Amino acid sequence: MNIRTTLDPITLRDVTNPDDHPCLYEGDGEHGVEIYFENEQNRQLYLELQLEDQKVICGNDSDDYVAEG
């Protein structure tokens, strides 16, 4: 599943016309997120962000999945 978000993660403002704005795709092609930015400067700031403790969360969408913890 691919997710498209038009909320600029830097300014937290909605990008009203995404086709005319820069974007970034993060994922493997089949599953990922398409992030739109108000401008190229915000896109570059996002790419330069370095989080200290990145976590990768894997889900299970099967009907018999029971969350643990």
Side-chain angles (χ1 to χ4, degrees):
M1 175 200 318
N2 289 309
I3 298 171
R4 182 184 212 199
T5 180
T6 58
L7 186 68
D8 185 317
I10 301 300
T11 63
L12 300 179
R13 289 192 291 251
D14 193 38
V15 177
T16 56
N17 191 2
D19 293 334
D20 295 332
H21 290 84
C23 74
L24 174 70
Y25 181 82
E26 293 185 345
D28 61 12
E30 185 177 337
H31 300 94
V33 63
E34 192 173 358
I35 306 167
Y36 284 86
F37 299 86
E38 288 185 304
N39 53 52
E40 184 61 30
Q41 182 181 6
N42 288 357
R43 183 181 168 282
Q44 288 301 318
L45 285 171
Y46 179 82
L47 290 171
E48 293 170 6
L49 286 175
Q50 300 260 338
L51 301 177
E52 290 181 22
D53 186 21
Q54 291 185 340
K55 294 188 179 5
V56 177
I57 300 173
C58 296
N60 182 337
D61 60 359
S62 65
D63 290 335
D64 60 349
Y65 175 71
V66 176
E68 297 177 10

